[in-house]
Amino acid sequence: MKFAKIPMATINRLSIYMRTLQEMLEEDVEVISSERLAKQCGVNPAQIRKDLAYFGEFGVRGVGYRVNDLVVQIKDILGLNRPWNLAMIGVGNLGSALLRHGNFTKHGYIFTAAFDVDPKKVGKRLPNGITVNHVDELEEKIKEKEVLIGLITTPAGEAQGIANQLVLAGINGILNFAPVQIQVPDCCHVENVDFTIKLDSIAYHLSVGS
Amino acid sequence: MKFAKIPMATINRLSIYMRTLQEMLEEDVEVISSERLAKQCGVNPAQIRKDLAYFGEFGVRGVGYRVNDLVVQIKDILGLNRPWNLAMIGVGNLGSALLRHGNFTKHGYIFTAAFDVDPKKVGKRLPNGITVNHVDELEEKIKEKEVLIGLITTPAGEAQGIANQLVLAGINGILNFAPVQIQVPDCCHVENVDFTIKLDSIAYHLSVGS
DNA sequence: TGTTTGATGTGAATTATCTCACATGTTTGT
DNA sequence: ACAAACATGTGAGATAATTCACATCAAACA
Ligand SMILES: NC(=O)c1ccc[n+]([C@@H]2O[C@H](COP(=O)([O-])OP(=O)(O)OC[C@H]3O[C@@H](n4cnc5c(N)ncnc54)[C@H](O)[C@@H]3O)[C@@H](O)[C@H]2O)c1
Ligand SMILES: NC(=O)c1ccc[n+]([C@@H]2O[C@H](COP(=O)([O-])OP(=O)(O)OC[C@H]3O[C@@H](n4cnc5c(N)ncnc54)[C@H](O)[C@@H]3O)[C@@H](O)[C@H]2O)c1
């Protein structure tokens, strides 16, 4: 291990490794080789070893990796050894589905605030116990609840404005579901989820026939 | 332009360019330079020119690109000059939200079939007019309705099984929302949508503080 | 204790992707 | 008709990411 710039792709793969390892834990697998893990994750074994080598030596030569240890290590690397408070902005179709979804909590992501502008939604109590606030209260509530990551599920036209407000409120991690490229200062990290791009990619592959 | 292998990243960016160009069209922008488009999309101008150059010469030197033409060209490249029939497998929380979402149709993706195993859901008529079928009828209905792409929104444990059935039914494009790596033959192209990975990536960036 | 087996960790080679820099062609203005 | 301004298209160079190949160490076993 040496100090080097970590490829973005490595970080994403670490998530996948962790997910797969957690499944294995439930099946009482104690030790795993990079080869087996690689097959399961659909990557090259050397890739896994190299990804991990950016951060340390976690395996035992001739043996493999202890599944449990590796999960702990990867969580440490990714910063998942602590809870992360989330805020949802836009409690519509998609926002509600996400709020209802239990998987986030399981991974340490906790919805602690939700915002909308629709009077029919503001004040409503959600299944997970939180109450929908008006967007006007965004900054106040986000600071009060120590939210660190904002999820944007408003219509596309509103997304940039919401992003601006989030940044002002001190947020520097945004997961954006609206199909627009939002612009933020460097201090803020944005990830986009855009299903249509993925569909376009499938359409392309089917069209060129490979 | 010459014949070369197209980077996957190029295909994904073409989607983004197209989306941005379509917005511009609505604001009556007729011509755009790679520089302006690049800024809007958050990429390097040369990148855009190179991406397009894989497929032809679409611009006018000294002028830029005609927005309308470029949209048409990119659609041609991606295979979006025709409708694509989709099937949704798993009409739960997320599946319903997607089915209700109008944006897909706007881009030429049409839900023509939906499947579930829950007796409470099978037979139900959805807002978009289609009726939920039992998964037992998967192959039959998919062939009948000429579905080309399958969206998996079942619980993770079911995803691989569903993928197998889809492949048997002749599908070779899958958009998988379940948080597992599904294995398919080479003829089938899979794209994964996993929000948790994106959250992990944000958590990492916030943790290392950059 | 020595040998064989097995799987990690990593430098080097390869492959993929991005960016630069400028020649090329277009338009505008004089 | 010519020059100046502009923006594309692209070869070459730089950078990044992946894969190979093997030295290295741990365990098992004779
Ligand atoms: N639903 C999907 O399956 C899906 C799929 C892909 C992308 N998206 C994107 O996700 C976003 C939301 O989609 P949806 O289907 O949930 O739409 P929706 O209309 O059901 O929900 C949007 C919600 O945002 C609220 N809102 C509007 N302006 C707001 C503001 N300024 N501040 C706070 N809240 C505001 C609305 O009141 C509404 O409740 C859209 O950008 C859409 O393109 C959705
Ligand atoms: N809801 C979210 O916001 C969200 C976010 C990220 C990922 N996901 C993933 O998406 C998937 C679905 O999530 P959800 O919240 O909609 O779950 P859900 O339980 O609400 O819906 C799952 C649906 O699949 C159906 N189903 C189960 N087995 C099936 C089978 N063999 N064939 C067909 N249908 C079957 C169930 O009857 C149910 O209707 C899960 O894998 C989940 O991890 C969901």
Side-chain angles (χ1 to χ4, degrees), chain B residues 78-133:
Chain B
L78 296 176
L80 303 180
N81 42 14
R82 46 159 293 184
W84 289 90
N85 290 342
L86 310 181
M88 173 74 71
I89 299 89
V91 188
N93 229 341
L94 182 62
S96 313
L98 293 171
L99 282 162
R100 236 172 302 155
H101 190 51
N103 232 349
F104 292 110
T105 314
K106 216 180 79 186
H107 285 274
Y109 296 106
I110 303 163
F111 285 108
T112 47
F115 303 91
D116 208 300
V117 283
D118 186 344
K120 285 198 292 293
K121 283 169 186 162
V122 174
K124 224 175 66 176
R125 195 185 180 79
L126 299 169
N128 62 353
I130 66 176
T131 301
V132 179
N133 294 119

Side-chain angles (χ1 to χ4, degrees), chain A residues 92-94 116-117 121 135 153-155 158 177 179 195, chain B residues 98 101 103:
Chain A
N93 228 341
L94 181 61
D116 209 299
V117 284
K121 283 169 185 162
V135 134
T153 51
T154 60
E158 310 287 327
F177 289 82
F195 315 156
Chain B
L98 293 171
H101 190 51
N103 232 349

